[in-house]
Amino acid sequence: MTVCQFFLQGRCRFGDRCWNEHPGARGAGGARPPPASQQLSASNRRGWNASSQRYSNVIQPSSFSRSTPWGGSRGPDQASFGSSTGSGFGAAQRPFASLSSGDQDEQKLLEGIVKDVEVWESSGQWMFSAYSPLKTQPPVAGFTDISPEELRLEYHNFLTSNNLQSYLNSVQQLITQWKNRINQLKTINKSNRVALLPNLNNGVNQAAPALGFGSTQARMFGSSFVGSSKSVQNFSFKTSPGFAPATSGSPSVFGTLPALGAVPSAGSAVSASTPAFGFGKPQITSAASFSFKTPAASGFGSAGFSAAPTSLAGSPFGAAMAPAFGGGTSVAGFGSPGSQSHTAFSKPSNNIFGSSSIPTSLPVSNVISATDKVLFTPKDQLTQEELEQFQSKKFTLGKIPLKPPPVELIHI
Amino acid sequence: MSLFGTTSKFGSNGSSVGTFGSAAADHHNPMKDIEVTSSPDDSIGCLSFSPASLPGNFLVAGSWANDVRCWEVQDNGQTVPKAQHIHAGPVLGVCWSDDGSKVFTASCDKTAKMWDLNSNLAIQIAQHDAPIKTVHWIKASNYRCVMTGSWDRTLKFWDTRSSNPVMALQLPERCYCADVVYPMAVVATARRGLIVYQLENQPSEVRRVESSLKFQNRCVAIFKDKHHKPNGFALGSIEGKIAFHYLNVPNSVKDSFTFKCHRSNRANSSGSQDIYAVNGMAFHPIHGTLATVGSDGRFNFWDKDGRAKLKTSEPLDQPISACCFNHNGNIFAYASSYDWSKGHEFYNPKRKNYIFLRNAAEELKPRNGK
C-alpha cells in the first residue's frame, strides 16, 4: 500500500477508513478526524479566482459556513465541522483534536474568539459591532451594534446643537468600553470562561438591548429628557420590567457590569475581570489608521474603573459616566427614577449627550441582566426561605434552593 | 453614438463628459468613469435608477446634505440635473415606484416622502419613531405599498393615501438594510438579525435566518434564479465578508457560502490585513452577477455561480458608499463619499463627493464554466 501523504502531515481526513497506509499510528493518529485544510485545498480548485493580483487571490470558503459535501457522509465529521467553526476566520488549517470531548470544542471556541478579537482589533474594522463566535450563537455580551450612520447622525445632531464635546466624550467612552471588552476576551482564562460560556451556550437571545445612542437622538436632541419614562422604554430595555424595580437598592450592581464588559458581576468572574480589565492601558490602537484613539479616554475611563471591583456599587461606572451624564435623564435610563444615590448621576450638565451615553451602557447592562438571570436570581424572585438559606452559613438539607443565589449575596 | 446602449467602450476618451481631474495625480477617479455633474454636497447614502417603465435613465441620490437629487443620464454619458427636494434630515433610502412616476425617499427626520417628479411635489407618506433607513416599493398582484424599515425596530407598510400604516411588523432590532424582489423581502437588523418575508397576499414573516457572518450586517441584496424568481440573498457585513444564503432550494445549507472581500494585505506584516466594510451591493439585472462596493474605495464584480471574482477596481481615495445598476444593467453607478467608517476625525465636509457611472454591459458577464 502506498503511504498516505496526508497522514504523514497529520492531516488525513479518512482516518481509519483511509485506503492508504498510515505507518505505525493506530493510537496516535488514527482517531484524528479530518482537518479542514484538506477540504480547503479541494475547494480551492473551484474557489474564487481573482483576476487581479491585488487581493489574496483565493477566497477560501469560510469553513464555518459550509456543512460541506465532504463531510456529509461521515457522522463524526459533522461534529468536527462544528468545532472547526470555533477556530474561525476561514483559516482552519489546524488538525482537530478528537471530537468526542466537549471540552475540546470549547477550547476551540475560545481560541477562535481570541483570534477573531485580535484580528478585529488590528485590522481597522468597524468597532461598534455585535460579534458572535459561531454563527449559531447569540452575540457575545459586551458589544453593542452601532451602525456608522447612527454614529454619524449623532455627530450631526450634536454639531447643530453646538455640543460637539459631549459627542466626542461619548465616543471616547464607547471606544474605551470596546477596548476593555476586547482585552478581556483576549485573555481567556478559567474565570473568563466561566463567564463567557453560559453566555455563549445559553442561547438567550439578548436581542432586546444594544441600542446605541443613535435611537435616542430623537428624544435626546434638544429636549430635556428627564422623567419621560416612555422614552426610556423605547430604549428597548425589554427585560427591564423585572430588572429595574428589583434593583432599586443597588441598581449599580447591574449598572456597573456593562463597563466591566458584561462579565457577571459576582463570583470569581469579578476577580478575574479586574486584572483583565486593563483600564488605563491606553491600548494599542494598532488599528493603524483608525483614529478612535483613547489617550483622553483612558484617563477618563480609568478614573472610573479604579474603584474596588468587588464592591459592586456602581461608583466606578457611575464616576466614569459622570461628566457625560445628564441629571435625571440617566437615572431614568437605569429604570429607577429618583432612587439613584449616585452623585455622579445628578450632574445636570450636558443633558443630551450625557443621557445618550446611557444607552450604550444600558444595552450591555441589559445583556448582563439576561446573563444574570441565568447565573443569579434577582433578590425579589426568591422566597423568604430561599433567601434565608443563602444568607445562612450552611444549607439545610431539604431546604436547598434550586435557583442560583442573587448577586448581592455573593462575597468574594 | 449611443454609448450606454451599446457595448462599445467609453470612458477612456471621456474627456468630453466631465472627467476632469483624471490628468491630475489624485485618485478620486482612478477608473476614469463618468462623473455626474452637480453631485451632492455631502456623503451620498443611497442611489437608485429609474425602472424600465420610464424611457431613458434617471438617477436619484439621497445625501447627508438632506437633499435628494435627480439627474437624467443620457446615452452619450451626459448627466443633466433635473430636480431635487429637501428633507429635514439626511436621506438614507430612495426607491422608485414601478411606473417610474414617483420617487420615495426615507430620511433621518423619521419621515418618508413621495416625490412626484412630474409636478415636483413631495408629500409625506410615512412616519416612524426613529430615522427610517430603508424604503422599498412593493407591487403585488392585489396591493401596492411602500415598505419602510426604521431604527425604531418596526417595518411598516404604507398605502400612500393614508397616514396610518396598513401594516406594521415588529423587528427584533433596528433595521439596517433591506431588499425587496417580489414576492420575497429580506430585512437585516442589528445584532445580526436576518428575517425573510413573503409578500403575496399580505406581507408576513417567513423565517429568521441565522446570519453566516460574525459581525454587524451592513447591506443585503436578493438574487434571482434563472427563471427570475428570487431564491436567495447576499449579505454583506462590516467585516469585509459576504455571505450567500440560498432559500427554497433543496441543498440550501450546502450551497450557502461566505467569502472575504474588500480587504487588503498589509505590506509589512504578512497575515495581517486591513478589513473594510461592504457598504453596498447590487445584482446585475440581466447577468445576475454581483457588484459590491466597500469602505476601501473599491468596487468588485463577482460571479456567484462560477465563484469567481470578475473584476476589482483601483482604489478611490474615498470610500464608496453606495451603488446601483440601471434597469437594463448597462450602467453601474457608484458614489464616492465618506461613510464614517473611521469616525469623525476623518470627516472633511469640504471634500467633494462624486457619483460615477460606468458601462457595465461587458464587465459583468459571468464566467463560463468553472
Side-chain angles (χ1 to χ4, degrees):
Chain A
M1 288 218 306
T2 52
V3 172
C4 175
Q5 290 303 314
F6 288 108
F7 177 76
L8 291 181
Q9 296 172 38
R11 304 196 283 138
C12 179
R13 33 192 290 218
F14 297 99
D16 279 357
R17 283 167 284 201
C18 187
W19 295 341
N20 296 319
E21 181 170 342
H22 288 179
R26 273 290 105 194
R32 278 202 283 195
S37 59
Q38 236 162 317
Q39 92 213 27
L40 276 184
S41 48
S43 68
N44 284 349
R45 267 174 254 125
R46 56 184 283 249
W48 291 85
N49 302 311
S51 54
S52 90
Q53 292 299 316
R54 210 155 289 272
Y55 284 147
S56 52
N57 284 352
V58 180
I59 297 135
Q60 297 162 1
S62 172
S63 58
F64 75 97
S65 69
R66 277 183 162 272
S67 59
T68 69
W70 294 283
S73 54
R74 311 88 155 288
D77 300 334
Q78 294 293 2
S80 81
F81 289 137
S83 62
S84 80
T85 68
S87 61
F89 253 66
Q93 294 285 342
R94 24 173 168 179
F96 286 97
S98 90
L99 359 108
S100 52
S101 130
D103 260 355
Q104 299 279 10
D105 286 343
E106 242 173 48
Q107 184 59 30
K108 289 266 163 307
L109 188 60
L110 292 171
E111 282 171 20
I113 295 180
V114 173
K115 230 181 149 189
D116 282 349
V117 159
E118 278 167 9
V119 175
W120 189 355
E121 191 171 20
S122 64
S123 61
Q125 185 177 305
W126 181 252
M127 290 180 179
F128 306 120
S129 162
Y131 162 63
S132 293
L134 296 186
K135 67 167 178 166
T136 48
Q137 303 248 344
V140 167
F143 292 112
T144 58
D145 239 349
I146 305 178
S147 68
E149 286 79 29
E150 287 168 303
L151 198 63
R152 182 175 186 166
L153 190 63
E154 281 304 303
Y155 173 84
H156 282 290
N157 288 340
F158 285 105
L159 197 57
T160 42
S161 68
N162 283 325
N163 218 346
L164 207 49
Q165 195 49 45
S166 34
Y167 167 83
L168 296 174
N169 291 343
S170 304
V171 171
Q172 287 297 10
Q173 231 167 26
L174 285 174
I175 298 175
T176 322
Q177 281 175 3
W178 177 78
K179 289 219 159 83
N180 290 332
R181 185 64 179 134
I182 290 276
N183 286 337
Q184 274 183 343
L185 287 179
K186 283 204 292 192
T187 55
I188 298 267
N189 52 25
K190 260 214 164 326
S191 32
N192 272 7
R193 258 191 199 192
V194 168
L196 268 180
L197 289 174
N199 181 357
L200 296 173
N201 293 333
N202 68 5
V204 167
N205 190 11
Q206 300 137 352
L211 243 208
F213 46 93
S215 70
T216 68
Q217 53 86 27
R219 265 158 280 288
M220 305 305 195
F221 187 46
S223 66
S224 72
F225 181 59
V226 181
S228 54
S229 55
K230 254 202 215 143
S231 52
V232 172
Q233 249 113 40
N234 282 338
F235 276 7
S236 71
F237 211 176
K238 295 240 173 77
T239 64
S240 66
F243 174 42
T247 59
S248 56
S250 53
S252 53
V253 161
F254 297 106
T256 44
L257 301 183
L260 295 182
V263 173
S265 54
S268 54
V270 172
S271 50
S273 67
T274 359
F277 218 37
F279 60 85
K281 273 194 227 162
Q283 261 309 327
I284 317 130
T285 60
S286 58
S289 46
F290 204 113
S291 64
F292 270 23
K293 290 216 195 284
T294 66
S298 53
F300 181 47
S302 58
F305 299 139
S306 54
T310 58
S311 81
L312 304 169
S315 43
F317 195 67
M321 300 297 268
F325 260 3
T329 62
S330 57
V331 170
F334 271 102
S336 45
S339 65
Q340 282 288 355
S341 53
H342 294 290
T343 52
F345 290 162
S346 55
K347 290 226 185 101
S349 63
N350 281 358
N351 247 345
I352 297 171
F353 207 74
S355 37
S356 71
S357 47
I358 308 173
T360 60
S361 54
L362 275 187
V364 186
S365 65
N366 198 6
V367 156
I368 303 287
S369 69
T371 339
D372 286 350
K373 280 209 177 89
V374 175
L375 288 178
F376 312 113
T377 353
K379 242 185 183 159
D380 63 336
Q381 281 183 17
L382 291 175
T383 65
Q384 194 52 32
E385 219 181 57
E386 286 169 319
L387 204 52
E388 275 171 10
Q389 281 296 309
F390 283 124
Q391 280 169 340
S392 59
K393 286 211 157 215
K394 281 190 179 178
F395 284 136
T396 339
L397 278 182
K399 283 190 182 175
I400 303 179
L402 291 172
K403 304 196 197 118
V407 157
E408 295 90 333
L409 290 182
I410 297 184
H411 306 286
I412 299 147
Chain B
M1 178 162 76
S2 165
L3 288 165
F4 278 105
T6 69
T7 57
S8 60
K9 273 197 178 283
F10 71 83
S12 48
N13 58 342
S15 49
S16 58
V17 280
T19 50
F20 57 86
S22 49
D26 72 331
H27 291 285
H28 81 276
N29 186 11
M31 302 305 289
K32 310 259 189 299
D33 288 325
I34 295 186
E35 206 177 295
V36 167
T37 54
S38 304
S39 52
D41 299 322
D42 207 338
S43 299
I44 292 124
C46 45
L47 289 173
S48 185
F49 265 106
S50 54
S53 43
L54 208 56
N57 290 300
F58 292 83
L59 175 66
V60 288
S63 83
W64 279 77
N66 299 2
D67 63 3
V68 188
R69 298 188 181 192
C70 177
W71 297 261
E72 177 184 1
V73 179
Q74 292 166 346
D75 280 348
N76 60 0
Q78 283 219 302
T79 51
V80 180
K82 284 285 187 195
Q84 78 170 29
H85 91 91
I86 316 274
H87 264 271
V91 179
L92 299 181
V94 281
C95 84
W96 289 78
S97 63
D98 64 295
D99 60 355
S101 62
K102 317 260 191 302
V103 173
F104 299 98
T105 58
S107 160
C108 292
D109 62 7
K110 306 182 215 155
T111 69
K113 294 196 177 166
M114 175 171 79
W115 183 21
D116 184 326
L117 293 167
N118 296 325
S119 61
N120 203 13
L121 289 176
I123 55 171
Q124 180 181 336
I125 49 142
Q127 180 73 47
H128 272 266
D129 299 324
I132 306 181
K133 181 70 171 56
T134 67
V135 65
H136 288 89
W137 172 251
I138 300 177
K139 177 175 169 207
S141 48
N142 56 339
Y143 70 93
R144 282 167 183 52
C145 67
V146 178
M147 177 180 96
T148 52
S150 159
W151 289 342
D152 68 355
R153 305 169 175 215
T154 60
L155 195 63
K156 292 188 180 170
F157 298 82
W158 308 84
D159 174 336
T160 57
R161 297 164 294 212
S162 155
S163 60
N164 286 325
V166 297
M167 188 178 219
L169 295 174
Q170 197 62 28
L171 295 171
E173 252 287 356
R174 296 154 280 168
C175 171
Y176 277 170
C177 47
D179 194 15
V180 168
V181 172
Y182 187 78
M184 182 194 285
V186 175
V187 175
T189 69
R191 292 183 77 84
R192 299 170 60 249
L194 210 46
I195 311 153
V196 180
Y197 297 88
Q198 68 83 24
L199 302 170
E200 269 177 80
N201 220 1
Q202 70 170 16
S204 61
E205 187 177 314
V206 169
R207 64 163 129 146
R208 308 229 158 157
V209 178
E210 267 299 332
S211 164
S212 294
L213 303 173
K214 296 180 182 172
F215 288 94
Q216 186 182 112
N217 300 328
R218 188 99 178 99
C219 52
V220 72
I222 294 177
F223 56 79
K224 300 186 268 205
D225 59 17
K226 39 184 188 268
H227 308 289
H228 292 284
K229 294 260 175 308
N231 72 334
F233 59 91
L235 176 71
S237 80
I238 51 137
E239 188 216 346
K241 258 196 192 165
I242 293 180
F244 279 91
H245 286 260
Y246 283 82
L247 304 168
N248 311 332
V249 152
N251 286 328
S252 63
V253 176
K254 283 212 294 185
D255 287 339
S256 303
F257 63 95
T258 70
F259 62 95
K260 297 180 191 172
C261 56
H262 295 288
R263 294 178 176 207
S264 60
N265 288 321
R266 296 207 186 121
N268 44 6
S269 46
S270 61
S272 81
Q273 298 178 305
D274 288 315
I275 295 181
Y276 297 92
V278 183
N279 282 331
M281 48 168 97
F283 279 94
H284 191 275
I286 311 291
H287 300 309
T289 44
L290 176 65
T292 66
V293 293
S295 293
D296 53 352
R298 296 179 196 261
F299 60 82
N300 294 322
F301 299 146
W302 312 87
D303 175 359
K304 72 172 197 310
D305 298 313
R307 310 232 170 155
K309 183 193 285 197
L310 300 170
K311 183 180 181 66
T312 299
S313 76
E314 296 293 315
L316 275 68
D317 55 0
Q318 286 186 95
I320 305 183
S321 49
C323 68
C324 75
F325 284 103
N326 76 329
H327 64 89
N328 59 10
N330 284 341
I331 314 178
F332 174 61
Y334 57 100
S336 165
S337 54
Y338 186 51
D339 58 355
W340 217 252
S341 49
K342 299 255 177 270
H344 63 277
E345 282 110 335
F346 285 77
Y347 174 51
N348 180 358
K350 297 199 182 40
R351 196 126 189 218
K352 198 157 187 281
N353 302 283
Y354 301 95
I355 303 178
F356 294 113
L357 303 175
R358 188 174 182 82
N359 185 333
E362 280 304 308
E363 287 172 331
L364 277 121
K365 285 201 173 141
R367 287 264 158 94
N368 290 324
K370 292 195 186 179

